[in-house]
Amino acid sequence: MTAEESAGRGFDGFAPETVELAGRTFIIRRAGESDVSALVALLRDDVLGATREKGAEIVGRAGGAAAGSAPAAGDTATTDAEEADPYARAFALIAADPNQLLVAVAEVANQNQTDDASTVVGTLQLSLLPSLSRRGTLRLQIEAVRIGAAAQGIGLGTAVFEWAHECGRRFGAGLAQLTTDRSRTDARRFYARLGYVASHEGMKLPLT
């Protein structure tokens, strides 16, 4: 399969991959609908994310609330359809777009464990962005990267980024790019170590 053929179909040819790290096994796979509650919990378990996802408790298919998203004592559980719907709609749009790949990084406790029983410990979203600029270079946008506390400190973040870069190359991307909040000084240093250069100034404007 050539890069041009892969790029023409977005991420349709994506297949899960396994990463062995520090004696632990992780599967990098496409996120499913049943992963949404765990992914939102990862987004919330963050200084900035806690504010962005405020009030969002997502109930999974089993009926249990996502870890880290339980309401405070005395609060009413607000999150049935009203809270879950925005995430469900967003997931449906992502899943339907071949140029979007929402990733779940799941840890497998033992080789006999099924994927359904694995624990989601990380996430990121990859987007293939066609562009006329840079002689038509296809860009790989990397966003919403989270590695949960249980999997930090073993180099998983670096391994996931190395995987993402290689994934982008396989699907025809010639440039990787990301945005990060200015307050994330540790993250900025991490990206610099990976070779990213702060060459542009990102700006955002809320439309709602």
Side-chain angles (χ1 to χ4, degrees), residues 4-207:
E4 290 77 8
E5 290 171 335
S6 296
R9 291 198 297 267
F11 289 110
D12 282 351
F14 172 79
E17 296 189 34
T18 300
V19 173
E20 302 284 347
L21 196 64
R24 299 163 70 175
T25 302
F26 302 92
I27 298 174
I28 301 176
R29 58 173 174 78
R30 186 186 296 272
E33 184 180 0
S34 62
D35 295 314
V36 172
S37 60
L39 302 188
V40 173
L42 285 168
L43 294 176
R44 290 195 66 200
D45 189 20
D46 173 86
V47 174
L48 297 179
T51 300
R52 294 170 182 167
E53 313 303 328
K54 187 176 182 180
E57 174 198 357
I58 304 305
V59 178
R61 287 181 172 177
S69 62
D75 286 353
T76 302
T78 59
T79 61
D80 359 21
E82 183 177 347
E83 292 292 352
D85 277 356
Y87 295 100
R89 287 195 297 270
F91 176 81
L93 289 171
I94 294 168
D97 186 344
N99 284 321
Q100 305 295 327
L101 178 62
L102 182 61
V103 172
V105 182
E107 181 170 10
V108 180
N110 59 69
Q111 295 300 321
N112 296 321
Q113 185 176 4
T114 64
D115 185 56
D116 289 340
S118 61
T119 302
V120 175
V121 298
T123 184
L124 70 158
Q125 183 172 342
L126 304 183
S127 304
L128 292 174
L129 306 179
S131 173
L132 291 179
S133 65
R134 295 177 181 260
R135 298 177 58 84
T137 296
L138 184 67
R139 301 176 187 227
L140 177 71
Q141 182 80 18
I142 305 175
E143 293 294 339
V145 182
R146 297 289 190 279
I147 300 296
Q152 292 178 8
I154 61 171
L156 183 59
T158 298
V160 166
F161 262 88
E162 290 174 349
W163 165 84
H165 298 157
E166 182 54 34
C167 180
R169 293 187 191 99
R170 288 200 312 270
F171 287 94
L175 176 71
Q177 60 187 33
L178 54 80
T179 62
T180 186
D181 194 281
R182 285 183 174 182
S183 67
R184 296 187 186 276
T185 54
D186 289 342
R188 292 165 68 89
R189 284 193 290 267
F190 171 72
Y191 298 140
R193 288 197 299 270
L194 292 175
Y196 284 86
V197 177
S199 59
H200 291 64
E201 185 79 7
M203 302 177 73
K204 296 182 185 295
L205 171 67
L207 298 179

